[in-house]
Amino acid sequence: MTTITITKTSDDNYREIECNGHAGYAEYGEDIVCAAVSVLTINTVNSIEQLTKDKTNVFESENDGIIRLSFKDIPSKEADLLLRSFELGVKGISDQYGKKFLNIKFRRV
């Protein structure tokens, strides 16, 4: 199962997103849930890095299936929009394929 943890501050600003694990929907190389989540996550990270001036930290471990993006400051309006789009996308995948393969957690700090 893939777990996505979305961390926000008490005033609803994003602090971090983390995608952890492999969905297990199908065999490696054929897992459309894992592929969809990976594309959304990697595209969001790349878009924030290339299209905004936000300062971030990124941690990746392909073997463990971990991608983590954290913000050094409050995300810009552009980054916030990209993150809301990411959240919408992963919720759609979870709704379509079920929580057995994709679990989304929300955390407040």
Side-chain angles (χ1 to χ4, degrees):
M1 172 196 308
T2 298
T3 299
I4 294 177
T5 305
I6 298 173
T7 304
K8 294 182 179 182
T9 63
S10 59
D11 52 348
D12 217 32
N13 290 306
Y14 288 94
R15 293 305 305 149
E16 182 177 277
I17 59 170
E18 180 178 289
C19 179
N20 191 334
H22 298 284
Y25 180 78
E27 294 294 320
Y28 181 80
E30 297 177 13
D31 191 330
I32 60 174
V33 174
C34 199
V37 169
S38 294
V39 166
L40 282 174
T41 305
I42 292 167
N43 188 64
T44 300
V45 170
N46 289 342
S47 294
I48 289 169
E49 286 181 338
Q50 294 179 29
L51 302 175
T52 75
K53 294 180 181 180
D54 291 83
K55 302 297 182 205
T56 62
N57 291 316
V58 177
F59 172 80
E60 298 178 57
S61 173
E62 189 174 332
N63 290 338
D64 297 321
I66 298 172
I67 302 173
R68 182 183 314 118
L69 170 75
S70 59
F71 288 85
K72 294 182 180 181
D73 298 308
I74 295 172
S76 65
K77 288 181 182 182
E78 295 83 4
D80 183 75
L81 180 61
L82 291 166
L83 290 163
R84 287 189 286 139
S85 177
F86 168 78
E87 191 174 323
L88 181 67
V90 295
K91 282 181 181 175
I93 294 168
S94 180
D95 290 346
Q96 185 168 355
Y97 292 97
K99 294 174 184 11
K100 176 180 178 184
F101 303 107
L102 177 58
N103 181 31
I104 303 171
K105 294 180 185 180
F106 293 91
R107 196 171 71 111
R108 294 283 177 181
V109 293

